[in-house]
């Protein structure tokens, strides 16, 4: 039986046939896909442990005498959860079928005695050398036909029957031995799923997936447009994964392959998850997401984890990092259906994998951790507990540095563990949002295929540009797929949604029809779900809604194009423009100059419902986009946590607690509408709060 036969079927809504069902069940209006399990799974831990705090622990890298020191230092630091065994397959099974669990028995016993819970991993992300040497087909093949070797990690083929059999074997042995162990409070399947393989085994699974998705070979030929370049197929067996070719590949074929890869990895996760649920019922099961990870569509994955957990690594050298971290946290909260989630990995100091690894200061470590808590996380964990002495990650920071506990970093780790216990009032609470930013993985994949009008218009750059003004204003934002229930949002922002099916387009139109504000960014609704360009004046599903229509996408020369606006101010658009004409809408800004003279650059159209539709047919400077967003938010009646936030101050309200962050290097004064108590320091703030550089307060209103 093909593994995809057991996956839940997609609802009949025009969604991808043969893929995992991402339809929401029992969610409040306005919530994005997530599950009650994702909230209750985390709640079973936090009800006993409080906010989760800890990190990956790799005792197999250390002699046994170090373990007791580690556990003692963990207790002093307030650690209550460690992830164990992620990369321990070769230690647990040094030879096929020969298991060594004695060391793990001892480590689990030490942790349990100390009151530290364990998130026990199935170690299947990094197979031992013996697997690939005895069975070479278990190693992945690149698009160029090169079979990867052992010696690193993530080198397995997701389709290999031998790999899957051996992976299930070590997983079964672990769960049978530790499924009822009192220390094991959560199971962690694999690690950072993102492997792509182009071998013949994966080709056979791709063919089966395509058959399920399209039904007939004729439908596949239609969806892929195989009349172009003589690519017609007569049999499923003729189809191969997108491999090295002399020129451009069929973009519809590549899009389907990306969908397949995400589903293929999800099926791999589900095999082990189902085994754990069978043998250890009632214990939450998860795996670690990676933010806006390109290879995996987390809208499809989220309903299948009991805890939404994320690996997030902000760059302290990047001034834009705080906003990107906030956006990523908002995505995770949205994947959890608006409920709590957790950070599974982050850096306490420096990472090892950038070209130039600027370390976090202890204040920045604290700021990043608390930002996640403010945006819905009920757990803040790190990679890793003790910095490795050898291997590829020996210069990746740990909560316990090479220099030992008498260090600035470890003192900050201990202090942070203590202060997290003070934030009990936020446990299980939500961040209530009336604004949503729309994002879709399939659209991201399709928009950035080669042979587009420009390779400079990047989806994540657009996402950040449209999100940033809301973040700066302290407006709570959910991230939603285009098919989500949007009825709870007064402002819906679509930064760039190149690919859009008809049902989702109608769903977005409904925002305006019920009186909300819809803001569409450039190069949106260009293609249908197969990647075929929609015929007619663009954006075809929204031209009447925005009161304008376009005929040509116009990437700009480096000099840009001048734009005049009485409603905002004059500016120069760079990189991108579109040739539009007004058809009932209002030109908020117009291009000037010979080629685009008089064409609207920004369009607004009010509707009788009281709603508004906006379309930005350019890439304006950030300050112009900030003003557009301010006007849209004002029209929608959406406001931030506080009015008139100083530059560089981030504000988030979670439940009864208002968090204020200062990521800058200068003190900031924030006006407050009343008297507040800071949960972190015990200080009282009446009328204003003074935030030191890299400072944060967690304010709860005083009632007396």
């Amino acid at each position: 039986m093909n593994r995809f036969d057991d996956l839940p079927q997609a609802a009949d809504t025009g969604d991808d046939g043969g893929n995992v069902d991402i339809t929401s069940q029992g969610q409040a209006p306005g919530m994005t896909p997530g599950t009650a399990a994702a909230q209750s799974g985390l709640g079973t831990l936090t009800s006993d442990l409080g906010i989760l705090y800890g990190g990956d622990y790799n005792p197999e890298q250390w002699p046994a005498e170090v373990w007791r020191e580690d556990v003692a230092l963990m207790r002093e630091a307030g650690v209550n959860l460690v992830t164990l065994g992620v990369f321990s397959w070769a230690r647990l099974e040094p030879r096929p079928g020969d298991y060594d669990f004695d060391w793990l028995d001892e480590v689990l016993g030490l942790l349990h005695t100390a009151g530290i819970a364990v998130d026990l991993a199935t170690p299947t992300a990094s197979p031992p050398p013996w697997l690939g040497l005895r069975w070479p087909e278990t190693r992945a093949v690149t698009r160029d036909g090169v079979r990867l070797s052992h010696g690193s990690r993530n080198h397995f083929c997701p389709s290999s029957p031998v790999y899957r059999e051996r992976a299930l074997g070590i997983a079964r042995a672990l769960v049978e031995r530790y499924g009822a162990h009192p220390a094991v409070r959560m199971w962690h399947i694999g690690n950072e799923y993102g492997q792509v393989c182009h071998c013949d085994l994966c080709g056979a699974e791709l063919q089966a997936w395509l058959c399920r998705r399209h039904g007939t070979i004729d439908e596949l030929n239609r969806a892929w447009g195989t009349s172009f370049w003589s690519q017609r197929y007569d049999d499923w067996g003729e189809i191969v994964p997108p491999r090295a070719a002399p020129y451009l590949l069929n973009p519809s074929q590549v899009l389907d392959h990306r969908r397949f890869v995400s589903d293929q990895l999800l099926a791999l996760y589900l095999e082990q998850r189902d085994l754990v649920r069978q043998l250890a019922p009632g214990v939450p099961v998860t795996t670690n997401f990676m933010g806006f990870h390109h290879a995996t569509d987390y809208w499809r994955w989220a309903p299948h984890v009991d805890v939404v957990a994320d690996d997030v690594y902000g760059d302290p050298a990047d001034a834009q990092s705080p906003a990107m971290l906030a956006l990523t946290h908002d995505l995770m909260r949205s994947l959890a259906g608006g409920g709590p989630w957790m950070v599974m990995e982050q850096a306490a100091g420096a990472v090892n994998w950038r070209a130039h690894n600027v370390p976090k200061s202890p204040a920045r470590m604290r700021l990043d951790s608390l930002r996640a808590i403010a945006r819905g996380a009920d757990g803040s964990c790190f990679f890793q507990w003790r910095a490795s002495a050898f291997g590829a990650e020996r210069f990746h920071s740990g909560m316990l540095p090479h220099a030992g506990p008498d260090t600035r970093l470890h003192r900050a780790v201990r202090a942070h563990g203590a202060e997290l216990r003070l934030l009990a009032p936020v446990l299980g609470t939500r961040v209530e949002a009336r604004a949503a930013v729309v994002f879709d993985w399939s659209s991201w994949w399709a928009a950035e295929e080669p042979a587009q009008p420009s390779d400079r218009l990047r989806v994540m750059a657009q996402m950040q540009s449209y999100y940033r003004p809301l973040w700066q204003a302290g407006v709570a934002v959910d991230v939603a797929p285009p098919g989500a229930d949007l009825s709870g949002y007064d402002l819906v922002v679509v930064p760039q949604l190149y690919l859009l099916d008809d049902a989702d387009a109608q769903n977005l139109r409904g925002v305006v029809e019920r009186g909300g504000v819809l803001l569409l960014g450039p190069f949106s609704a260009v293609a249908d779900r197969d990647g075929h360009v929609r015929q007619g004046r663009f954006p075809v599903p929204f031209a009447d809604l925005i009161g304008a229509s376009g005929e040509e996408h116009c990437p700009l020369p480096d000099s840009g194009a001048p734009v005049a606006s009485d409603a905002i101010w004059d500016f120069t658009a760079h990189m991108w423009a579109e040739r539009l004409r007004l058809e009932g809408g209002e030109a908020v800004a117009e291009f000037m100059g010979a080629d685009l003279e008089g064409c609207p650059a920004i369009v607004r159209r009010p509707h009788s419902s009281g709603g508004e539709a906006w379309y930005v047919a350019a890439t304006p400077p950030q300050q112009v986009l900030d003003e557009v967003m301010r006007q849209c938010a004002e029209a929608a009646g959406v406001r931030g946590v506080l009015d008139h936030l100083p530059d560089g101050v981030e504000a988030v309200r979670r439940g009864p607690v208002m968090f204020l962050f200062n990521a800058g290097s200068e003190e900031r004064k924030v006006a407050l509408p009343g008297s507040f108590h800071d949960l972190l320091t015990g200080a009282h703030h009446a009328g204003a709060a003074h935030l030191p550089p890299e400072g944060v307060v967690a304010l709860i209103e005083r009632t007396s």
Side-chain angles (χ1 to χ4, degrees):
M1 178 184 294
N2 185 276
R3 289 182 299 142
F4 299 105
D5 292 342
D6 290 333
L7 291 183
Q9 295 298 296
D12 188 15
T13 58
D15 202 87
D16 301 339
N19 284 344
V20 178
D21 183 9
I22 61 168
T23 55
S24 304
Q25 296 180 1
Q27 296 179 127
M31 285 289 89
T32 52
T35 64
Q39 298 171 45
S40 62
L42 193 56
T44 61
L45 291 169
T46 57
S47 61
D48 292 341
L49 303 173
I51 291 177
L52 305 178
Y53 184 56
D56 279 48
Y57 182 39
N58 299 291
E60 67 271 19
Q61 297 178 11
W62 303 96
E65 56 266 23
V66 176
W67 302 344
R68 285 171 173 77
E69 178 189 6
D70 282 331
V71 172
L73 289 171
M74 287 177 188
R75 282 179 57 87
E76 293 177 16
V79 167
N80 57 20
L81 179 74
V82 296
T83 298
L84 200 63
V86 174
F87 295 118
S88 61
W89 192 345
R91 178 72 185 269
L92 291 166
E93 190 179 7
R95 290 161 293 281
D98 181 8
Y99 298 116
D100 175 11
F101 293 126
D102 291 345
W103 68 275
L104 188 53
D105 290 344
E106 183 175 353
V107 172
L108 284 171
L110 289 170
L111 290 166
H112 182 59
T113 300
I116 299 170
V118 172
D119 168 33
L120 187 57
T122 62
T124 52
S126 189
W130 57 256
L131 184 66
L133 290 171
R134 285 173 171 81
W135 295 279
E137 72 275 15
T138 64
R139 307 196 311 265
V141 173
T142 69
R143 67 188 302 271
D144 295 313
V146 176
R147 190 171 293 278
L148 299 177
S149 178
H150 60 276
S152 181
R153 70 179 199 185
N154 303 333
H155 52 280
F156 63 84
C157 166
S159 297
S160 164
V162 175
Y163 167 75
R164 297 204 312 257
E165 176 187 353
R166 291 292 174 173
L168 283 172
I170 184 64
R172 177 178 293 275
L174 279 168
V175 185
E176 287 179 342
R177 189 175 186 93
Y178 301 114
H181 195 291
V184 178
R185 301 294 303 276
M186 183 161 65
W187 285 90
H188 185 302
I189 305 299
N191 181 71
E192 295 185 336
Y193 281 96
Q195 297 76 15
V196 181
C197 178
H198 294 78
C199 75
D200 289 340
L201 293 171
C202 289
E205 287 212 348
L206 172 63
Q207 293 161 9
W209 184 93
L210 290 168
C211 183
R212 285 170 52 80
R213 173 172 166 77
H214 295 288
T216 67
I217 200 72
D218 287 341
E219 171 57 21
L220 176 134
N221 281 309
R222 183 209 63 77
W224 285 12
T226 57
S227 58
F228 184 82
W229 281 354
S230 186
Q231 292 177 359
R232 180 186 174 278
Y233 295 99
D234 199 47
D235 184 84
W236 300 106
E238 297 173 357
I239 301 167
V240 297
R243 293 170 176 159
Y247 190 42
L248 298 170
L249 293 168
N250 183 329
S252 297
Q253 177 186 6
V254 174
L255 175 60
D256 262 359
H257 183 255
R258 293 190 187 278
R259 290 165 168 155
F260 158 75
V261 166
S262 181
D263 276 1
Q264 177 192 40
L265 294 172
L266 176 56
L268 197 63
Y269 160 79
L270 288 173
E271 283 185 349
Q272 295 182 47
R273 185 211 65 176
D274 292 347
L275 174 69
V276 172
R277 285 187 173 176
Q278 174 190 351
L279 299 177
V283 182
V285 187
T286 191
T287 190
N288 40 346
F289 292 170
M290 293 178 282
F292 288 91
H293 182 238
H294 196 255
T296 38
D297 181 348
Y298 289 142
W299 295 128
R300 298 193 176 279
W301 282 64
H304 302 285
V305 297
D306 297 329
V307 176
V308 171
D310 191 38
D311 294 354
V312 56
Y313 289 95
D315 184 354
D318 181 4
Q320 307 303 316
S321 180
M324 187 60 203
L325 286 171
L327 174 58
T328 303
H329 298 339
D330 290 346
L331 171 66
M332 291 301 131
R333 185 185 67 250
S334 301
L335 288 166
W341 56 283
M342 70 173 291
V343 175
M344 186 68 78
E345 290 183 21
Q346 61 191 313
V351 299
N352 68 301
W353 39 266
R354 295 188 177 106
H356 186 66
N357 296 298
V358 175
K360 292 181 183 179
S361 66
R364 181 61 179 266
M365 177 202 72
R366 175 177 181 256
L367 203 69
D368 286 351
S369 175
L370 290 173
R371 178 181 291 108
I373 301 297
R375 293 185 178 273
D378 276 357
S380 183
C381 295
F382 294 79
F383 182 85
Q384 54 184 327
W385 164 252
R386 182 184 283 268
S388 297
F390 46 79
E393 293 175 327
R394 64 197 184 282
F395 290 113
H396 193 295
S397 60
M399 300 170 76
L400 180 62
H402 295 135
D406 185 18
T407 50
R408 182 180 75 151
L409 175 54
H410 189 69
R411 285 191 290 272
V413 164
R414 291 198 300 267
H416 189 48
E419 72 178 347
L420 284 179
R421 293 194 289 271
L422 303 174
L423 293 177
V426 304
L427 271 175
T429 63
R430 305 170 76 91
V431 176
E432 301 295 341
R434 292 176 55 207
V437 173
V438 173
F439 173 79
D440 179 69
W441 263 273
S442 284
S443 181
W444 185 14
W445 296 329
E448 296 185 358
E449 276 299 300
Q452 300 281 24
S454 173
D455 65 0
R456 301 181 186 179
L457 190 67
R458 309 297 289 181
V459 171
M460 286 312 304
Q462 290 294 101
M463 283 285 291
Q464 292 178 68
S465 293
Y466 280 76
Y467 175 81
R468 187 174 181 82
L470 296 171
W471 172 77
Q472 288 176 319
V475 173
V477 177
D478 286 339
V479 183
D485 178 3
L486 301 173
S487 60
Y489 303 112
D490 299 311
L491 172 62
V492 174
V493 180
V494 184
Q496 186 187 341
L497 197 62
Y498 166 82
L499 184 149
L500 186 67
D501 67 26
D502 293 341
D504 290 348
Q506 187 59 44
N507 189 49
L508 292 172
R509 290 178 63 95
V511 173
V512 178
E513 292 166 357
R514 59 173 169 73
V517 175
L518 177 68
L519 171 60
L520 294 167
F523 209 43
S524 288
V526 174
D528 64 17
R529 69 173 185 157
D530 296 314
H532 297 189
V533 175
R534 292 180 176 275
Q535 300 301 292
R537 298 183 66 86
F538 63 80
V540 175
F542 302 112
D544 63 317
L545 194 73
I546 65 172
S549 68
E551 60 188 74
E552 185 180 9
H553 300 112
C554 305
L556 295 171
D558 291 343
S559 58
V563 179
S565 174
D566 294 332
I568 305 177
W569 51 79
D570 296 351
F571 60 91
T572 299
H574 290 280
M575 187 173 67
W576 186 269
E578 296 174 357
R579 187 179 304 280
L580 265 63
R581 71 182 180 207
L582 290 176
E583 295 175 346
E586 165 196 346
V588 177
E590 289 187 355
F591 288 106
M592 308 295 290
D595 194 47
L596 289 166
E597 180 75 40
C599 292
I602 302 173
V603 179
R604 168 183 174 269
R605 186 175 194 181
H607 285 257
S608 59
S609 64
E612 294 184 3
W614 289 64
Y615 186 72
V616 181
T619 47
Q622 185 64 56
Q623 62 267 31
V624 172
L625 195 54
D626 292 352
E627 176 60 19
V628 169
M629 192 67 72
R630 187 197 66 77
Q631 293 188 28
C632 287
E634 182 177 13
V638 171
R639 300 176 62 182
V641 173
L642 293 172
D643 293 331
H644 311 300
L645 282 172
D647 289 344
V649 173
E650 176 182 356
V652 189
R653 180 178 293 279
R654 182 181 178 191
V657 180
M658 178 171 60
F659 290 84
L660 301 176
F661 299 87
N662 176 17
S665 58
E666 298 180 0
E667 181 180 288
R668 294 290 188 230
K669 178 182 177 181
V670 183
L672 299 175
S675 180
F676 293 82
H677 172 75
D678 182 10
L679 294 175
L680 298 173
T681 65
H684 299 302
H685 300 272
H690 294 266
L691 294 176
E694 295 188 310
V696 57
V697 292
L699 303 177
I700 192 162
E701 192 165 9
R702 298 182 67 187
T703 57
S704 61

